[in-house]
Every structure is written in C-alpha cells, then in structure tokens.
C-alpha cells in the first residue's frame, strides 16, 4: 500500500495511519480564560495549511537587483504539486474542501465542519471565555498522518484567539497639524518607484506579486 492509499484509508470507519504531532502546534489555555464547552461541531470554519517550499534565502542573497517572473518563482520556489495533491487527498478523506491554493506562497485554505477538523487533526476544539473576548481553541498538539510529515509545516485557524492588540493613538488636530498636512506632497506609486530606481517597468511590478504573497505568510508565521 502506497502513501496515498494510507491517506485515503483515514476516512470514517477505517483504521487511521500512524499519527505524529505537528511541531510547534501545541496550545495552552490562556491565563484568566475558562472553558465554556465544546465548539459547535456543525459550525463551518476555514483553516490555512502551510505546505513546505524550498528556501529562498540564496535567491535573496544572490539576486539583489534582479527580477524573477512569477512563473519562474513558482516553478523554483513554490510548493510541489505532489505535496499539494497529498494534502488534498487527506482533506477529501475527512470531508474537508479545498477552497483555495496558492502555489507561490505554499498555502491551502480548507473549509468544513468543526467535527471534521477535530477528526482530521486529532483534537477537540473547545470554546473559551476570556474577560476580553471569547475564542475557539484546543489543548496539546495537532496530529497529522506520518505521510504528511515534512509536507505540512503549520496550520492556522484551528485556534482563533486574538494574536495581536491595537496600539493606535488618536491624533488631536491643531492649526499647526492642519497646516502641516496641507503642505505635504503626495506621490503616485510609479513616482516613488522612479525615485528609488525600483520596478521601472510594468512587467517588473507584476513580478513582485509572488514575493508579496510570501511576505504575508512569513508575517503570519512570526
């Protein structure tokens, strides 16, 4: 039996393949929060899977000032189609739908019911009440089949506790700040690019889209 058959055999009523904890997926209950009950098993939710991609470290170090087309970036640094197919097989075996795939960023968005995500990843999602908010979460590590070890790197969305807090301040305008704002000069994106000798052509502007997708994923991981 090959690895894809093992993934398919994890359907309902069949013996699951060996499961392993997903590194860095362990969660703990927040301080001052208390469990108020299981998450609604029939509630629809979405989760983002981060699939392994080749490192772009040497590209950044060796290609300063050089552009790379989106097609070349996807071909060289995108997730492997074989790996994406394995995740899709796993998702289908648990009644989870693949809503979106971004090969350049190495992400797959899955949707389905809470109960199906519980079974797929060996967890029990619960609702927690914190003095400032209510969130969905789990205890312990997420489990994945051994066949996806090294393919699935992270899973976002099972636990939806707030990750950041706002630190904005309200600006109280005075005559001086109004005059300062009126004196400001604005620039178009093309003018800014020209000032910095960056992305001189429309083709180069299009080529950076893959890197922007990657930056969003890195920010999410951090």
């Amino acid at each position: 039996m090959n690895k894809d058959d093992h993934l398919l055999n994890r359907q309902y009523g069949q013996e699951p393949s060996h499961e392993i904890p997903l590194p860095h997926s362990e969660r703990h209950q927040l301080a001052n929060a208390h469990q108020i009950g299981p998450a609604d098993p029939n509630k629809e939710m979405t989760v983002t899977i981060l699939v392994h991609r080749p490192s772009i470290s040497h590209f950044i170090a060796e290609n300063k000032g050089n552009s790379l087309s989106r097609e070349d970036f996807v071909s060289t640094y995108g997730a492997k189609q074989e790996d994406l197919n394995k995740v899709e097989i796993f998702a289908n075996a648990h009644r989870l739908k693949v809503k979106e795939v971004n090969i350049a960023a190495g992400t797959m968005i899955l949707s389905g019911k809470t109960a199906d995500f519980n079974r797929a990843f060996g967890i029990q999602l619960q609702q927690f009440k914190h003095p400032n908010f209510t969130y969905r979460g789990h205890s312990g590590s997420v489990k994945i089949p051994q066949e996806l070890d090294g393919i699935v790197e992270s899973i976002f969305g099972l636990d939806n506790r707030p990750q950041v807090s706002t630190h904005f301040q309200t600006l109280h305008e005075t005559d001086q700040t109004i005059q300062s704002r009126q004196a400001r000069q604005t620039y178009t994106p093309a003018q800014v690019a020209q000032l910095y000798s960056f992305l001189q052509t429309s083709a180069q502007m299009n080529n950076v889209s893959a890197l922007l997708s990657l930056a969003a994923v890195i920010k999410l991981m951090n």
Side-chain angles (χ1 to χ4, degrees), residues 2 6 9 19 27 38 44 49 58-59 61 72 79 83 97 111 113-114 122 135 137 155 172 174 182 185 194 203 212:
N2 59 38
H6 279 293
N9 284 343
E19 294 179 332
R27 293 290 183 271
E44 290 286 330
I49 308 293
H58 74 279
F59 167 74
D72 288 341
D83 291 343
K97 297 179 181 179
S111 67
K113 295 182 178 180
T114 300
Y135 71 95
I155 302 176
H172 299 285
T174 64
Q182 291 174 341
Q185 183 175 356
Q194 186 175 13
L212 292 176

Side-chain angles (χ1 to χ4, degrees), residues 7 80-90 108:
L7 294 172
K80 295 180 180 178
Q81 188 61 52
E82 178 184 0
D83 291 343
L84 297 172
N85 291 342
K86 290 179 179 179
V87 176
E88 183 174 9
I89 291 172
F90 167 77
M108 299 181 70

